Amino acid sequence: MGVHDGHRQRKKDRFRDYGLRGFADHEVLELLLYYAIPRKDTNVTAHLLLERFGSLDEVMHAPVDELKKVKGMGENAALFLRLIPAVCQYAEQNGKKDEILNSVEKSGQYFMKLLRDERREVIYMACLDQKGKVLRCCRLVEGDVNMAPLSVRQAVEQALVANAAMVQLAHNHPSGIALPSEEDIYVTRMIKEVLSPLNIRLIDHIVVADGDFVSMRDSGMLE
């Protein structure tokens, strides 16, 4: 066993016995990179990543192309780091089969969790039955920091496939202000009008930003 092998094994043993308690940010990255960068010292790479992006959270959400610019990072390592938060979000989104969104507060908390790690603007639609149970929650559009163009047809297709009685839209404002724009309101009303003849009600559109949310329904913007 070489020097690096012994160091890696000690780090793995430490995590196995104690979890991440007492680990510094660079040690967490170093440990993760063991599984993407074999037989190399990942300590320096971990430090370089933190220097470039500023924090562990920013590293884990940095674009793949930017991660690859750091010395020691290749395609596999960059994809591996991005895969981890994506899998966590996917598991959380799909793990709760009996989520009931029958109040504004429940809807707000549900979508705040779903959107908390997003760095770009993303639009989701939750398809619900008559009691507010989530039948499916689909990611409709991902855009830039401005309001992403929502495909009306896509929203209708997803609602029909889920056999939804009701739907709720939600999106985030990466700018940090949870106030619906005029475009947000216009698109929401258009979706509502298209779904109405199909006996599918659009009951709310939640806008999430900076640990807060605004309900268009409660704000009187759906009418």
Side-chain angles (χ1 to χ4, degrees), residues 194-210:
V194 172
L195 289 174
S196 182
L198 302 174
N199 293 318
I200 302 172
R201 291 185 294 138
L202 192 159
I203 59 174
D204 207 347
H205 187 155
I206 302 289
V207 182
V208 173
D210 196 23

Side-chain angles (χ1 to χ4, degrees), residues 118-123 139 141-148 171-174 184:
E118 298 290 352
R119 295 298 187 269
R120 304 180 70 199
E121 190 155 329
V122 180
I123 302 175
R139 187 183 181 105
V141 178
E142 178 177 334
D144 296 318
V145 293
N146 298 316
M147 175 62 181
H171 78 282
N172 60 323
H173 280 176
D184 295 341

Side-chain angles (χ1 to χ4, degrees), residues 14-221:
R14 180 180 163 193
F15 171 69
R16 182 195 60 207
D17 295 337
Y18 303 106
L20 292 177
R21 186 177 61 201
F23 272 71
D25 285 359
H26 75 275
E27 291 179 299
V28 175
L29 275 174
E30 183 184 358
L31 178 60
L32 285 173
L33 290 173
Y34 291 166
Y35 299 95
I37 305 175
R39 304 274 177 202
K40 288 185 180 179
D41 182 4
T42 60
N43 181 276
V44 174
T45 304
H47 279 287
L48 290 174
L49 285 166
L50 289 170
E51 287 174 13
R52 179 178 179 87
F53 298 104
S55 70
L56 180 60
D57 182 64
E58 291 298 326
V59 170
M60 302 303 291
H61 291 89
V64 169
D65 288 343
E66 292 299 314
L67 290 170
K68 288 166 60 178
K69 292 178 182 178
V70 175
K71 185 178 180 180
M73 291 292 292
E75 179 84 9
N76 285 344
L79 286 172
F80 182 71
L81 290 186
R82 286 296 296 118
L83 179 64
I84 293 166
V87 168
C88 291
Q89 183 187 50
Y90 180 86
E92 183 171 4
Q93 179 185 343
N94 293 278
K96 297 179 180 179
K97 301 303 182 183
D98 296 319
E99 193 79 44
I100 306 294
L101 304 185
N102 56 4
S103 72
V104 171
E105 184 61 29
K106 286 183 178 180
S107 297
Q109 294 301 320
Y110 176 83
F111 287 116
M112 282 175 64
K113 272 188 179 180
L114 193 61
L115 291 160
R116 67 187 172 191
D117 292 327
E118 298 290 352
R119 295 298 187 269
R120 304 180 70 199
E121 190 155 329
V122 180
I123 302 175
Y124 278 94
M125 185 174 73
C127 300
L128 316 174
D129 66 11
Q130 288 285 3
K131 295 182 180 179
K133 178 182 175 181
V134 178
L135 302 172
R136 69 185 303 179
C137 185
C138 43
R139 187 183 181 105
L140 290 179
V141 178
E142 178 177 334
D144 296 318
V145 293
N146 298 316
M147 175 62 181
L150 176 61
S151 168
V152 177
R153 179 176 178 180
Q154 185 181 3
V156 172
E157 287 177 350
Q158 292 291 343
L160 289 173
V161 167
N163 195 26
M166 306 179 289
V167 300
Q168 290 192 38
L169 295 172
H171 78 282
N172 60 323
H173 280 176
S175 62
I177 302 174
L179 291 176
S181 66
E182 290 298 321
E183 185 178 5
D184 295 341
I185 297 168
Y186 171 75
V187 170
T188 303
R189 290 176 177 173
M190 182 166 58
I191 295 288
K192 181 182 178 183
E193 290 177 5
V194 172
L195 289 174
S196 182
L198 302 174
N199 293 318
I200 302 172
R201 291 185 294 138
L202 192 159
I203 59 174
D204 207 347
H205 187 155
I206 302 289
V207 182
V208 173
D210 196 23
D212 194 13
F213 69 91
V214 169
S215 160
M216 287 195 191
R217 181 179 69 184
D218 270 15
S219 302
M221 298 175 183

